[in-house]
Amino acid sequence: MEIYFVRHGIAVERVNGLDNPERMLTKIGRKKTEKVASRLKELELQFDLVLTSPYTRAQQTAQIFIEAGLSQNLQICNQLSPEGNFIRWWEDWFESAQLANNSRLALVGHEPDLGRWAEILVWGESKDRIVLKKAGMIGVEVPITGSPVGRGQMFWLTPPRLLL
Amino acid sequence: MEIYFVRHGIAVERVNGLDNPERMLTKIGRKKTEKVASRLKELELQFDLVLTSPYTRAQQTAQIFIEAGLSQNLQICNQLSPEGNFIRWWEDWFESAQLANNSRLALVGHEPDLGRWAEILVWGESKDRIVLKKAGMIGVEVPITGSPVGRGQMFWLTPPRLLL
């Protein structure tokens, strides 16, 4: 099955260097993300499920994907937030989710986590070697049985400008 | 600086399972590669140099890049052929090439070598975890001083359909 890690679009700046779960997409961030989503639709990409970090900027990004018709299913997943441990969660969740062999999932979240998780799926460990821009995407194919750690194949890594 | 590994376009089939350095791009392979090249031009990508494997299908792919205006410099590099050892060659060549910090190179060659070399630059070793389709591309940023092995950052991986 295919997992697409999607970084949220451009959001308003931090205040005093502090992150805030409520930070929203800027007007430009929203527009760019909409263009990416509509290009993905043109490419006939369809997700069985979009899981998103609960942070506002991620939820807004996921919502744009839903509105573009890329999926009919959206769920919030706390393990995709900056404090989450997606990989551990995935191993449990996956057992019960019973996804089909050809499923496609979009996971909307944050850096540096998304790039690290992709590296862990593909190479078994993270070295922070993936550059994932805002509204950028990483595509990894993983087997649907057993742990996906170190068993993925990376087939997609796009800065958003490739999809505008 | 940025290195773009480019896999040659779709070529005519092997005969009796044997590879042949003279295999040429098919009509469809040529057309797809031309579309990719013209999209890269649209994205204002410009290469200081295109290095290509001496195999016909790679040279034709490189030539399409040149004709699309993506670079003015084309060189054949035997180390990009399926028997080549690009990484070792690179470490020597690089010293003498004196490339600028913001140089962009396109390296046209074959699988599984290109994916492996990209992995070696980025993660220090290859586990065959990158899927690189024909006319697909991998973008890796590497420092211009010292060995690039294990010091790259991957920022781009595209199946050709993203650029058609």
Side-chain angles (χ1 to χ4, degrees), chain B residues 31-85:
Chain B
K31 208 163 178 178
K32 261 190 161 179
T33 308
E34 282 169 357
K35 279 193 180 173
V36 166
S38 110
R39 174 75 178 125
L40 295 175
K41 182 70 184 171
E42 217 175 87
L43 290 164
E44 296 178 5
L45 204 63
Q46 197 68 28
F47 301 107
D48 298 285
L49 175 62
V50 178
L51 290 169
T52 178
S53 146
Y55 280 36
T56 304
R57 57 194 186 273
Q59 284 203 50
Q60 288 180 319
T61 300
Q63 195 61 47
I64 288 170
F65 271 45
I66 299 293
E67 280 161 18
L70 294 171
S71 180
Q72 300 191 321
N73 301 302
L74 174 61
Q75 278 177 35
I76 292 175
C77 170
N78 290 330
Q79 299 302 331
L80 289 172
S81 77
E83 301 81 30
N85 186 335

Side-chain angles (χ1 to χ4, degrees), chain A residues 119 123 129 131 150 154 157, chain B residues 119 123 129 131 150 154 157:
Chain A
E119 284 182 293
W123 284 275
R129 296 296 198 205
V131 180
M154 189 180 293
L157 170 58
Chain B
E119 284 182 292
W123 286 276
R129 296 296 198 207
V131 180
M154 190 179 295
L157 170 59

Side-chain angles (χ1 to χ4, degrees), chain A residues 26-44:
Chain A
T26 62
K27 201 171 161 185
I28 290 178
R30 170 172 287 280
K31 208 164 179 179
K32 259 190 164 179
T33 309
E34 282 169 355
K35 278 195 180 172
V36 166
S38 110
R39 175 76 178 125
L40 295 176
K41 181 70 184 170
E42 217 175 86
L43 289 165
E44 297 180 2

Side-chain angles (χ1 to χ4, degrees), chain A residues 36-83:
Chain A
V36 166
S38 110
R39 175 76 178 125
L40 295 176
K41 181 70 184 170
E42 217 175 86
L43 289 165
E44 297 180 2
L45 204 63
Q46 197 67 29
F47 301 108
D48 299 283
L49 176 61
V50 178
L51 288 169
T52 178
S53 146
Y55 280 36
T56 304
R57 57 194 186 274
Q59 282 203 50
Q60 288 180 320
T61 301
Q63 195 61 49
I64 288 170
F65 271 45
I66 299 292
E67 281 161 17
L70 293 172
S71 180
Q72 301 191 321
N73 301 301
L74 174 62
Q75 278 177 34
I76 291 173
C77 171
N78 291 330
Q79 299 302 331
L80 289 172
S81 76
E83 301 82 31

Side-chain angles (χ1 to χ4, degrees), chain A residues 78-90:
Chain A
N78 291 330
Q79 299 302 331
L80 289 172
S81 76
E83 301 82 31
N85 186 335
F86 165 72
I87 301 280
R88 192 177 306 162
W89 174 84
W90 173 267

Side-chain angles (χ1 to χ4, degrees), chain A residues 7 30 37 91 95 105 109 123:
Chain A
R7 188 176 178 194
R30 170 172 287 280
E91 293 184 286
E95 287 283 325
L105 249 64
W123 284 275

Side-chain angles (χ1 to χ4, degrees), chain A residues 75-161:
Chain A
Q75 278 177 34
I76 291 173
C77 171
N78 291 330
Q79 299 302 331
L80 289 172
S81 76
E83 301 82 31
N85 186 335
F86 165 72
I87 301 280
R88 192 177 306 162
W89 174 84
W90 173 267
E91 293 184 286
D92 294 337
W93 178 78
F94 201 71
E95 287 283 325
S96 60
Q98 300 204 318
L99 296 165
N101 205 3
N102 59 354
S103 307
R104 280 211 191 95
L105 249 64
L107 307 175
V108 186
H110 310 267
E111 274 291 89
D113 307 291
L114 297 180
R116 286 179 182 163
W117 294 334
E119 284 182 293
I120 289 170
L121 294 188
V122 174
W123 284 275
E125 60 175 326
S126 160
K127 296 186 178 180
D128 280 337
R129 296 296 198 205
I130 294 180
V131 180
L132 183 61
K133 304 243 180 193
K134 294 190 179 88
M137 290 171 68
I138 308 171
V140 176
E141 192 171 337
V142 293
I144 59 160
T145 50
S147 166
V149 172
R151 297 171 67 214
Q153 298 272 119
M154 189 180 293
F155 62 88
W156 179 314
L157 170 58
T158 49
R161 71 190 184 99

